[in-house]
Every structure is written in structure tokens, then in C-alpha cells.
Amino acid sequence: MGKYILLITLGVSAALSMYAGQFQSAQVDARSELAERQKLIIARQMARSAYASGVSEVKRQLNVSLNQCEQLEGGTFELTTRPLSGDTVQVRAVGRYGGDGCSCTECPQYAISGEATLEPNGSFSALTFDGSLASANLSGGGKGPVISGNDAAGKQDRNGVSLSESGDRATMRNEFCGRSGADVQGIGGDCDVVHDPGIDLKPLDAELSDLVQNEATHQESDLCGGGKGRGRKGKRKGPGGGQVGSSESLAVVNVEGDCSLSGNSGGTGIIYVDGGSLTMTGNSEWKGMVFVTGEGSFKASKGTPNISGSVAFYDGGSLDMRGTASIQYNSDRMRRLREEFGIDALKELIDSPAGDAVRMTNRSQGAVGPGEAPAGQGRGGAQN
């Protein structure tokens, strides 16, 4: 009996020793796994911080060149940018645990990558074209014509010129930037001419067409004077004209022929040029909006003619600015028009984002094992 008890005791002792050894081994493995996980967490935090910094940099300047490797307490981070195609740049950040630098391949590391794409928001500018531009001419010796999207009201700066057709951008940039004195300013800096295929002035054209047909406040001759021009409906136009409208009582005028503003003529409100031609000379000034449709034209030269508000072309048209003519965006005047006449499409355009925006897409992230490519280079990342 005592022999059996001894055998049982020895068996239990051996089993307990085995389980104790396994338990101690499991504890060691658990501590080791926890330590590796903590190292990876530190690497991930460094990668996230570096990636956020890289995204901030490319949003300020898309084509910024980054190739950084910096030592931090507990590890290093690597931050790089790489151009892909068109207006797209890859941002990649790798965090590494340990003090062996960015060349360490065995260090616990975590990688994050994403693509920064430039998306234009030129849906409404100081001068906006929706449709193919028939012709554009800007010229003047010394100080030439100026188009500015810098808000005279000091609230929301916009682009100087925006066009829906990509081919017109080169034409306009050549006119503004290639000629002595001509200048275009805006949220995009100097020579601020942008292409935005999303420009859509059709809803605004529909509302303005209805407005001039049903709520016109003045005859064309009140603004443009007498004489006979080439209006589509044979109305009488000519040189001269006077002031129409005011800040308290906005004018709505439909122009279908040749309309000339000279001297100190002009006014406040909306001029809807439907297939006709609006020419401004001398010290003439319009405070509000000039909307040109039906392949109409806008000309400004000989003096200091000025539009304080905006000019928009829908369905083609031509532009000819010379001398010291100017178009200055003014958000207060545009909002006043929207409020007075309830133009919903105008509100949407005024409130639309201004300037180009950088959007981040195709983000991937994850731990990178020894010998693996960092995220964004073929391996080592899960899509987010």
C-alpha cells in the first residue's frame, strides 16, 4: 500500500513539475509576445504621426518633395513622397522600433501609405466659363487688364479664372501670363487660371433667363442708350446710356444686341447678355453680375472700366479686355443679388468650396515583417 502511495506521489510530483515548467514557458512566451506587441504599438504611433505630418505638407503644396528619416526616443520614422500620375502623389510613412535607424530591416515596423490627389474647386470664380471659349484676348502696354478673385468684401477669396474645357486653360494662361501687364490673381496665387470639368452654370442660366423675361427692371435702352445695333430681336442700341439701379434698388437688364457703356455710365444689379455684346469703356462701372450666354461677348477697354462682382459665360462666348480694365470679385454684391431675387443656383455657387483641394485616397496600413515591402510598395498593408 505504501509502495502505491509512493508511486502516486512521485507521479503527481512529476506532473506538477511538468505543468509548472509549461506554465513558466507560457508566461515567458506571453511576456515576449506582449513586449513585441508594445514595440509594434510604438512603431505604429511614430508612423501615424509622420503620416499626418506628410498629409499636412502635401495639402499645403502637392508637389512637395519629402525624404526624411528622423531618430526619436524609442525608434525612428521615415517619411517620403513619390509622384504617381497626373496630379497624384503617394505619401508613405514607416515607424521603426529601436535605435538602428531607417535602414534596419529586422526592427519591428509599421507602415502607412496613401495617395494625395488634387481636385479643382473652380465652380465659381471672378471670371467663370462653362462651355468652349470662342476667343480670348487680353492686352495692354505696361499696366494691363486685371482679373482678381481676391474678395473685395474680405470674406471668401476665389480663383481668378475657371474654365470647364481643359484646352481653354492653356489659352487663358498664355493670355494672362504671357502678355505684358495682363494679370490674374486669386486663391491660387499669381496666374490663377484653373480647369474644373465640374463647372455647371446651366441652372443659373435657367433662373436668370426666367428673371429677365418676367422681372426686368429696365429697358436695354436705359442702360445702353439709343441707336440701332445687331440685336437678335432688332432692338435699338447704341452709345451712351446712364446709371441704372442702386444698392437699395437692384437693376435687371436683358441685353440682346450691341450695348456700350462709356463715360461714367453703369449701375448695380444683373446684366444678362443673351447672344449680344457688352462693351465697357471710359470710367464705366458695373456693381454686380454680368452673365453672358448664347455665344455673346464681353469687351472692356479704353479707360478704367470695372466690374465689381463677377462675370460668367455659359455656352461659349468671347472675351476681349485691354488697357486697364478690371474684374474684381465681391461676395457681398453676389449675396445681395441672391437675396434680392431668390436665385437658388447663385447661392450654391457662392457657397461652393473655393480653390483646389487635396483629397487623400487608397490608404493602406499594417505591420511590416522582416524582408517585406512597406505599405504602398506591394505588400504589408491592409486597406482602410
Side-chain angles (χ1 to χ4, degrees):
M1 184 69 172
K3 185 186 292 184
Y4 288 117
I5 292 174
L6 178 60
L7 290 172
I8 292 172
T9 300
L10 291 172
V12 170
S13 297
L16 288 174
S17 296
M18 181 183 69
Y19 288 133
Q22 291 177 344
F23 179 70
Q24 290 175 350
S25 177
Q27 282 186 315
V28 172
D29 291 343
R31 284 196 295 269
S32 178
E33 183 179 344
L34 178 60
E36 290 301 313
R37 187 178 301 128
Q38 289 174 335
K39 292 177 182 178
L40 189 59
I41 289 173
I42 293 173
R44 183 181 65 187
Q45 289 302 112
M46 287 189 290
R48 285 179 173 175
S49 178
Y51 182 75
S53 175
V55 169
S56 178
E57 288 292 330
V58 298
K59 284 189 174 182
R60 281 196 292 266
Q61 183 181 350
L62 182 68
N63 61 352
V64 64
S65 178
L66 300 176
N67 186 14
Q68 302 174 7
C69 177
E70 294 191 21
Q71 182 75 43
L72 302 175
E73 184 177 354
T76 58
F77 77 78
E78 180 183 5
L79 175 62
T80 59
T81 57
R82 180 169 64 94
L84 297 178
S85 60
D87 292 327
T88 302
V89 172
Q90 183 192 66
V91 180
R92 183 173 68 89
V94 181
R96 292 180 174 86
Y97 178 84
D100 295 330
C102 291
S103 60
C104 180
T105 58
E106 301 300 321
C107 300
Q109 53 186 302
Y110 196 93
I112 306 174
S113 76
E115 295 178 4
T117 302
L118 186 67
E119 295 188 339
N121 287 315
S123 56
F124 194 64
S125 302
L127 175 61
T128 309
F129 289 91
D130 180 7
S132 181
L133 178 63
S135 65
N137 179 67
L138 296 107
S139 61
K143 184 179 179 182
V146 174
I147 297 178
S148 177
N150 297 324
D151 189 4
K155 296 176 180 177
Q156 176 65 75
D157 292 343
R158 308 197 73 86
N159 291 114
V161 178
S162 57
L163 310 105
S164 63
E165 302 297 320
S166 60
D168 291 337
R169 183 172 185 264
T171 300
M172 291 297 286
R173 286 184 67 87
N174 180 63
E175 287 295 325
F176 278 109
C177 307
R179 290 180 179 270
S180 173
D183 190 18
V184 57
Q185 312 157 2
I187 199 170
D190 295 331
C191 200
D192 186 23
V193 180
V194 299
H195 165 234
D196 183 357
I199 294 174
D200 183 11
L201 298 183
K202 184 175 182 179
L204 179 58
D205 178 55
E207 287 195 67
L208 293 180
S209 176
D210 182 70
L211 180 69
V212 298
Q213 293 300 321
N214 297 293
E215 300 182 48
T217 61
H218 294 77
Q219 296 291 323
E220 188 171 344
S221 57
D222 296 333
L223 174 68
C224 311
K228 186 173 182 180
R230 298 191 301 271
R232 292 189 307 176
K233 295 186 178 180
K235 291 188 176 182
R236 296 178 64 82
K237 329 289 186 289
Q243 289 284 329
V244 297
S246 65
S247 57
E248 293 77 26
S249 180
L250 302 179
V252 177
V253 185
N254 187 20
V255 172
E256 294 181 313
D258 295 338
C259 178
S260 296
L261 305 183
S262 60
N264 295 315
S265 61
T268 305
I270 297 172
I271 298 178
Y272 185 77
V273 183
D274 187 5
S277 172
L278 175 65
T279 300
M280 297 178 65
T281 58
N283 297 320
S284 59
E285 180 178 25
W286 188 257
K287 301 173 183 177
M289 185 175 206
V290 172
F291 193 92
V292 183
T293 188
E295 299 184 351
S297 67
F298 171 67
K299 304 174 183 178
S301 63
K302 297 179 182 178
T304 58
N306 173 61
I307 290 180
S308 175
S310 73
V311 176
F313 284 76
Y314 174 67
D315 193 25
S318 60
L319 173 72
D320 190 340
M321 293 180 66
R322 304 166 187 262
T324 55
S326 63
I327 299 173
Q328 174 70 59
Y329 181 70
N330 188 312
S331 64
D332 279 355
R333 298 197 189 284
M334 304 311 296
R335 286 190 171 84
R336 179 77 174 86
L337 295 176
R338 182 263 176 269
E339 293 166 0
E340 178 71 17
F341 301 113
I343 308 171
D344 293 334
L346 188 56
K347 179 182 186 302
E348 183 176 342
L349 291 169
I350 295 170
D351 294 340
S352 64
D356 295 340
V358 174
R359 185 169 67 95
M360 298 303 300
T361 60
N362 297 331
R363 173 167 163 159
S364 63
Q365 62 182 31
V368 181
E372 288 191 70
Q377 292 190 346
R379 302 168 61 186
Q383 292 293 325
N384 243 12

